[in-house]
Amino acid sequence: MHVSARARNMEPSATLAVSAKAKSLKREGKPVVSFGAGEPDFNSPPSAIRYAEEAMRGGQTHYTPGAGIPELREAVCAYYKDRFGLEYKPADVVIGAGAKPLLYEALGCLIDPGDEVIVFTPAWVSYVEQIRFFDGKAVLVDTSNNSFIPRIEDARRAVTNRTRAMIINTPNNPTGAVYDRDSLASLAKLAVERDITILFDEIYERLVYGDSVHHQVLNLVPEARDRTIIINGVSKAFAMTGWRIGYALGPSGIMGYLNDLQGHITSNACSVAQWASLGALREAEADVVAMHGAFSRRRDLIVDLMREMPGVTFTEPNGAFYVWFNVEGLIGRSWRGEIIVDDAAFCRILLDSKYVALVPGSAFMAGGNVRVSYANSEEEIREGMRRLREFLEEID
Ligand code: PMP
Ligand code: GLU
């Protein structure tokens, strides 16, 4: 059968691949500690489950409006008003089957073949693949020279007359960086000046620690509003990854196109999951705060344990639930005779020998690094880090 060049050129999602491998080793009875896919280990909030049950019993099991049930779109607007003081109309909100398809739909509505999208690297695995799928060109801007916060000069240099969009992800996956006010504002001003759309992925906005603050880009640069699409969802903050609900907010014109595109792909997102998300947005604030507390303690724990790791370096993360560390000093060295040729080999040998799953940095456009997702219990974090340290000490 003929397979399209688009499909052949696509890299499968490495985050999903690592977690699938970890799960299958676990099924074989191996004592796996998975720091692979970024998903909270907590149960979804009781209010989400109650709303879902009531929806199923009450016959809410049909197609919904393509952009989502009005109640949920209203709740998303209320959330944005309360949390950031931003006024959106429910008509300018699209509910999708996760943040991931909404990003895809947004890119599909923004880029023509050959158009450029600025992506700050290290970057979450799906951005570049989604851009390529629309025959767009991802223009990568490395942030590792500045603690993973883009320098405005570097961003400015990447802009051409084909630049259509810039993806900003703070708090950041995979680095855990939280963009400071000035850096974020200058990126948004650059977008305004050069007529570039901002895709503002703030799916980790509830997960910042210590003195760090998450800035909503439109609070800093309100004049960017008519060129900004906000992407958020219930996956991370509410521990609801499997329900698959995300939301996008933006100017009416473009949101209409997103809705039309979604109408040809998923129609609406799952009806029951939309009701569950409504339950979460209305009643799960205390759960979010409790989960944040647990993540904050885990973050402190893992940062302390990372400091003891020989041969690797890392920058302390301030947000999300990831630690990003550099393994370049280990490339070319060996573990029990096996050469660690790159970051992927590092992760493979570690998983096969110590049953600790990590994601190679090359999946995030930054080889020579590795990502740890610490959305695990403190006990698992201690055990996984103990094995990682043992592995590092055994490298010749
Ligand atoms: N953006 C980022 C930065 C992410 O890490 C993820 C990971 N899941 C998503 C978007 C997609 O989230 P969702 O589960 O809502 O599709
Ligand atoms: N976003 C999470 C991660 O980076 C979940 C998997 C995915 O959607 O990529 O691990």
Side-chain angles (χ1 to χ4, degrees), residues 38 97-101 103 124 127 169 173 201 203-204 231-236 241 244-246 322:
K100 196 183 283 193
L103 280 158
W124 177 50
Y127 295 146
N169 170 219
N173 176 5
D201 181 348
I203 195 148
Y204 297 97
I231 303 286
N232 202 340
V234 295
S235 287
K236 314 293 173 173
T241 45
R244 309 305 303 128
I245 294 292
Y322 304 110

Side-chain angles (χ1 to χ4, degrees), residues 13 15-16 36-38 100 124-126 173 204 236 322 364 371:
S13 167
T15 46
L16 299 185
K100 196 183 283 193
W124 177 50
V125 291
S126 293
N173 176 5
Y204 297 97
K236 314 293 173 173
Y322 304 110
F364 304 93
R371 187 191 78 174

Side-chain angles (χ1 to χ4, degrees), residues 43-60 240 243 271-285 287:
N43 287 333
S44 299
S47 58
I49 292 169
R50 199 178 73 248
Y51 270 63
E53 280 171 354
E54 283 167 12
M56 285 188 282
R57 294 216 174 82
Q60 303 288 357
M240 290 179 69
W243 299 86
S271 162
V272 173
Q274 291 187 57
W275 286 97
S277 302
L278 179 64
L281 279 173
R282 280 193 184 155
E283 296 180 24
E285 188 54 30
D287 301 287

Side-chain angles (χ1 to χ4, degrees), residues 67-143:
I69 55 173
E71 291 85 346
L72 180 56
R73 281 186 279 160
E74 276 159 23
V76 169
C77 293
Y79 180 85
Y80 267 81
K81 175 86 179 85
D82 286 355
R83 187 152 167 73
F84 300 116
L86 295 174
E87 305 262 5
Y88 279 90
K89 298 195 298 292
D92 296 338
V93 175
V94 174
I95 307 298
K100 196 183 283 193
L102 289 166
L103 280 158
Y104 180 80
E105 290 159 16
L107 289 164
C109 295
L110 289 170
I111 55 180
D112 285 316
D115 281 347
E116 297 176 2
V117 179
I118 294 179
V119 176
F120 299 107
T121 60
W124 177 50
V125 291
S126 293
Y127 295 146
V128 167
E129 293 305 323
Q130 292 192 354
I131 294 165
R132 286 192 192 139
F133 217 76
F134 291 108
D135 296 328
K137 182 175 167 208
V139 176
L140 308 182
V141 176
D142 179 28
T143 61

Side-chain angles (χ1 to χ4, degrees), residues 21 25 330-358 360 387-388 391-392 394-395:
K21 183 163 177 197
L25 283 170
L330 305 174
I331 308 296
R333 292 172 60 188
S334 63
W335 182 85
R336 303 218 171 135
E338 209 172 336
I339 308 278
I340 300 170
V341 289
D342 56 16
D343 51 297
F346 178 94
C347 293
R348 183 178 41 75
I349 301 169
L350 176 68
L351 181 56
D352 290 343
S353 61
K354 307 285 180 193
Y355 301 117
V356 173
L358 304 177
R387 293 187 213 170
L388 173 63
F391 178 75
L392 292 171
E394 288 165 0
I395 291 175

